[in-house]
Amino acid sequence: MAEPIGLERAKIVVREDECKGCGLCIEACPEQVLFVHKHLNRLGYHPTGYKGEGCTGCGICFYQCPEPGAITVYKKGYVGEEVV
Amino acid sequence: MAEKVLAKAESFFDIYDRNPSPSKDVTHYCPGCGHGVLHKLIAEAIDDFGIRERTVLFSPVGCSVFAYYYFRTGNIQCAHGRAPAAATGFKRTHPESIVISYQGDGDLAAIGTAEIIQAANRGENFTVFFVNNAIYGMTGGQLAPTTLVGQKTTTSPYGRNPANEGYPIKVAEMISTLDAPVYVERVAITDAKNTARVRRAVRKGLQNQIDNKGFSLIEVLSVCPSNWKMDPIQSKQWLSDNMIQQFPLGIFRDRTGEVPAAENKRHIFHVDGLREALELPVETESTIKVAAPAPEFQDPRIKLAGFGGQGVLMLGLMLAEAGMHAGYHVSWIPSYGPEMRGGTANCHVNLSHRRIGSPTVSRPTLLVAMNLPSLERFENEVVPGGLIIYDTAMVTRAPKRTDVKALGIPASTIADELGNTRGANMVILGAYIGYTSILPKEAIFAAMPSLIKRKNLIPLNEQAVEKGMEFVRNLRG
Ligand code: SF4
Ligand code: SF4
Ligand code: SF4
């Protein structure tokens, strides 16, 4: 089995159904890599999306977000399982 | 690897099963509400400090009343404003636990003002998170004690006017006037920088408790977009522009470095120590046997009344204490009603084979009247078939009731002849136990050492009891 290679870049994952579309993460992200989806989620909010690159893993969005499970930040070098 | 990922804390439930709503993976809080952020910071700290198994969260009445849906810790949901009182009881009986009192501004700064101030003043070793969003959230946006001057709410439609509603209460400042608190800080959930300060304060408040340092209170300025009627981003701006002006951020008290943990060592109350402190005799296994009294005298509900100074309270205590020696359930309460002001005293006593529901006696089966006013006042309360014992030296007329038994005894005269004028209460006690066999005199004698401080007076009191018994024996011939 090959050595696990860590994430080369940080990233975030939004659980769309736990997002209430408050926009605080988008406003606060210093890299401006978050956006509002056009579609509605199960709760009737426009959830936040990640543009797919540019995240530095600073964690600011995580601490701005009031929902315990909506945002997960994976930092550079992370080798574990993705939280689902 | 943990440091490489920021994810939902272990101290939250995966699924919020306690929430009756169908959406069991999201909180009940409005979008953008500050409660969620503070919950996350607390849960993260509980994870990181490894204290989840011993943490108990005391939640308030307010929007965060349902905090127990989310925290995978011990949870106690408290009556409005009473979290610090409940937390005090829990922490003192479970000193190894980590106790968090989580309260909003209506809960802590209005109905619960007394509780928080007294807990802080006692320096209780727990951590208070006080969420101040300047409005009543759960009930729909009414004026809170912390509503800003000029702020419009549903109950201050012209804006808070100090001439009408007073000024906002500054809890952090107020608590830090007390000597005991160890750490008091006000922080705000706004931008990344301020939120990082909230995170530090949360951790410090909990660390203080882990280190047994004493009372910490963190006031957290927080948004309520729904009742402020702004979107979450505007709300944070409003908080920064307005709330922080009236509620300045900063550390108001920090003695964390100074106080040794030992300062918080309290007296531990245990039976033996208390006995020693109160100079009570050592408890011995009771071997006192009670003869069964006649059915009408069993499980008496007793009212004892007389002038202050005649020893009716002592008579009641003696009955209760002796009752315990004889294996009864007992209760004793003095009456502190307005009738006390006239110089009369009365108390209520129960002796029972069953557990006692109410200690108050409004329909006595035994009335002891040591003066005339007591007989006049309470005669009609006695249940039919009940017993009235009265001191004929003090009570100048016999009871009028014909459906009760009456036993008159010149107790004060008998006591006087013994050289112990104040012993009339014990003469009455002797008459009562002699007449009814409710207690053997041994039970009374066993009770005396813990109630009579001057030991040289015990023999005199014993004699008085014997005299009362003798009087009844002679009466029966
Ligand atoms: S971790 Fe930082 S950079 Fe990445 S999305 Fe969140 S705020 Fe933006
Ligand atoms: S802060 Fe959280 S809830 Fe708000 S939009 Fe971002 S992910 Fe959604
Ligand atoms: S009413 Fe205000 S405090 Fe309550 S959940 Fe909504 S935003 Fe939060």
Side-chain angles (χ1 to χ4, degrees):
Chain A
M1 207 205 217
E3 281 290 297
I5 299 166
L7 268 193
E8 301 220 339
R9 292 212 175 95
K11 66 169 185 177
I12 77 152
V13 173
V14 178
R15 286 180 184 152
E16 288 192 8
D17 277 344
E18 296 186 31
C19 170
K20 288 179 179 162
C22 69
L24 291 171
C25 55
I26 300 173
E27 171 80 6
C29 171
E31 308 302 323
Q32 294 293 299
V33 293
L34 304 178
F35 67 98
V36 190
H37 274 299
K38 291 220 161 52
H39 63 266
L40 294 175
N41 67 6
R42 189 194 43 160
L43 300 168
Y45 299 118
H46 292 287
T48 286
Y50 170 47
K51 289 177 182 168
E53 56 184 43
C55 171
T56 61
C58 69
I60 286 174
C61 58
F62 178 83
Y63 290 112
Q64 286 289 304
C65 175
E67 274 307 309
I71 291 180
T72 309
V73 182
Y74 297 93
K75 297 190 190 178
K76 194 175 163 196
Y78 178 71
V79 292
E81 298 273 301
E82 214 171 86
V83 184
V84 265
Chain B
M1 257 166 278
E3 73 279 5
K4 297 260 193 263
V5 59
L6 291 173
K8 186 173 178 179
E10 296 274 314
S11 294
F12 286 123
F13 289 114
D14 297 332
I15 298 293
Y16 311 130
D17 279 326
R18 291 173 178 165
N19 188 346
S21 133
S23 306
K24 296 195 190 301
D25 50 1
V26 288
T27 64
H28 71 292
Y29 297 114
C30 309
C33 173
H35 277 301
V37 174
L38 183 58
H39 282 22
K40 279 171 82 168
L41 295 172
I42 294 171
E44 182 195 44
I46 295 173
D47 278 12
D48 292 351
F49 293 160
I51 52 175
R52 187 171 66 77
E53 289 297 328
R54 57 189 178 115
T55 296
V56 183
L57 185 95
F58 290 72
S59 50
V61 170
C63 285
S64 47
V65 63
F66 296 131
Y68 63 88
Y69 287 175
Y70 312 119
F71 283 90
R72 199 202 300 262
T73 57
N75 284 280
I76 295 181
Q77 200 285 307
C78 301
H80 206 181
R82 276 42 175 177
T88 297
F90 192 90
K91 181 72 185 188
R92 289 212 178 185
T93 50
H94 302 78
E96 72 295 342
S97 62
I98 299 298
V99 167
I100 296 171
S101 181
Y102 189 109
Q103 302 181 261
D105 43 50
D107 190 83
L108 181 142
I111 194 167
T113 324
E115 279 73 13
I116 192 63
I117 288 181
Q118 301 302 336
N121 193 44
R122 293 188 304 266
E124 296 298 340
N125 185 30
F126 56 67
T127 312
V128 180
F129 296 112
F130 166 47
V131 178
N132 175 0
N133 56 20
I135 205 157
Y136 281 179
M138 182 182 73
T139 50
Q142 294 83 357
L143 180 116
T146 53
T147 292
L148 305 187
V149 172
Q151 186 184 344
K152 289 183 179 167
T153 68
T154 57
T155 49
S156 57
Y158 302 113
R160 182 177 197 154
N161 175 357
N164 288 94
E165 293 91 27
Y167 289 89
I169 292 182
K170 296 193 168 103
V171 170
E173 286 86 338
M174 192 165 73
I175 295 296
S176 57
T177 63
L178 302 170
D179 291 335
V182 167
Y183 169 54
V184 181
E185 180 166 5
R186 182 184 290 121
V187 289
I189 301 173
T190 54
D191 58 5
K193 204 165 119 221
N194 270 335
T195 307
R197 290 211 178 96
V198 182
R199 185 169 178 272
R200 271 202 298 281
V202 165
R203 298 168 89 86
K204 184 166 172 149
L206 288 172
Q207 188 65 53
N208 282 347
Q209 185 178 169
I210 293 168
D211 296 343
N212 206 21
K213 295 266 181 180
F215 184 87
S216 300
L217 180 142
I218 295 104
E219 176 171 344
V220 183
L221 305 185
S222 176
V223 296
C224 175
S226 298
N227 287 304
W228 293 359
K229 307 198 186 333
M230 299 172 205
D231 72 34
I233 293 164
Q234 291 169 337
S235 296
K236 286 203 171 177
Q237 196 58 50
W238 188 85
L239 193 162
S240 301
D241 293 347
N242 298 282
M243 258 186 106
I244 294 178
Q245 312 307 312
Q246 295 190 32
F247 291 108
L249 305 184
I251 296 173
F252 293 87
R253 167 71 57 84
D254 188 359
R255 296 195 296 124
T256 312
E258 302 159 32
V259 278
E263 192 189 294
N264 286 300
K265 290 274 180 287
R266 300 180 196 278
H267 287 298
I268 301 296
F269 295 97
H270 50 79
V271 176
D272 293 342
L274 279 178
R275 284 196 170 280
E276 209 181 300
L278 297 172
E279 295 173 33
L280 295 178
V282 180
E283 185 119 294
T284 46
E285 203 51 44
S286 172
T287 52
I288 295 164
K289 293 272 171 295
V290 192
E296 71 266 32
F297 298 135
Q298 277 174 16
D299 297 344
R301 301 193 304 280
I302 306 169
K303 189 169 264 185
L304 308 160
F307 288 125
Q310 279 185 306
V312 292
L313 301 187
M314 173 57 97
L315 171 53
L317 279 172
M318 195 68 80
L319 263 170
E321 184 81 18
M324 278 196 280
H325 282 280
Y328 286 108
H329 294 279
V330 305
S331 69
W332 171 87
I333 48 164
S335 166
Y336 289 114
E339 67 272 17
M340 289 288 288
R341 308 298 157 244
T344 63
N346 75 76
C347 65
H348 304 189
V349 174
N350 282 281
L351 302 183
S352 181
H353 287 94
R354 289 180 295 273
R355 284 200 288 171
I356 293 162
S358 165
T360 49
V361 177
S362 47
R363 301 284 287 145
T365 61
L366 167 69
L367 170 67
V368 170
M370 296 191 63
N371 62 8
L372 185 58
S374 299
L375 181 67
E376 297 197 315
R377 191 182 159 91
F378 298 121
E379 178 172 358
N380 286 331
E381 290 183 1
V382 179
V383 298
L387 174 64
I388 298 176
I389 302 179
Y390 60 106
D391 184 348
T392 51
M394 305 294 295
V395 181
T396 48
R397 68 158 175 86
K400 292 176 184 150
R401 294 268 300 269
T402 51
D403 59 343
V404 298
K405 292 184 211 49
L407 171 64
I409 171 169
S412 296
T413 315
I414 295 173
D416 214 23
E417 285 164 10
L418 278 175
N420 175 24
T421 322
R422 313 259 307 217
N425 56 351
M426 293 297 116
V427 176
I428 297 250
L429 181 56
Y432 173 50
I433 66 169
Y435 191 77
T436 63
S437 307
I438 185 78
L439 289 166
K441 65 179 180 188
E442 289 74 22
I444 309 279
F445 297 167
M448 281 183 179
S450 54
L451 290 172
I452 298 172
K453 282 275 164 291
R454 289 170 58 191
K455 304 299 167 221
N456 57 332
L457 292 181
I458 290 178
L460 264 180
N461 280 281
E462 290 184 354
Q463 273 177 33
V465 172
E466 302 267 18
K467 281 284 178 197
M469 296 179 78
E470 185 187 311
F471 177 85
V472 172
R473 262 198 311 276
N474 294 340
L475 207 65
R476 285 177 166 155

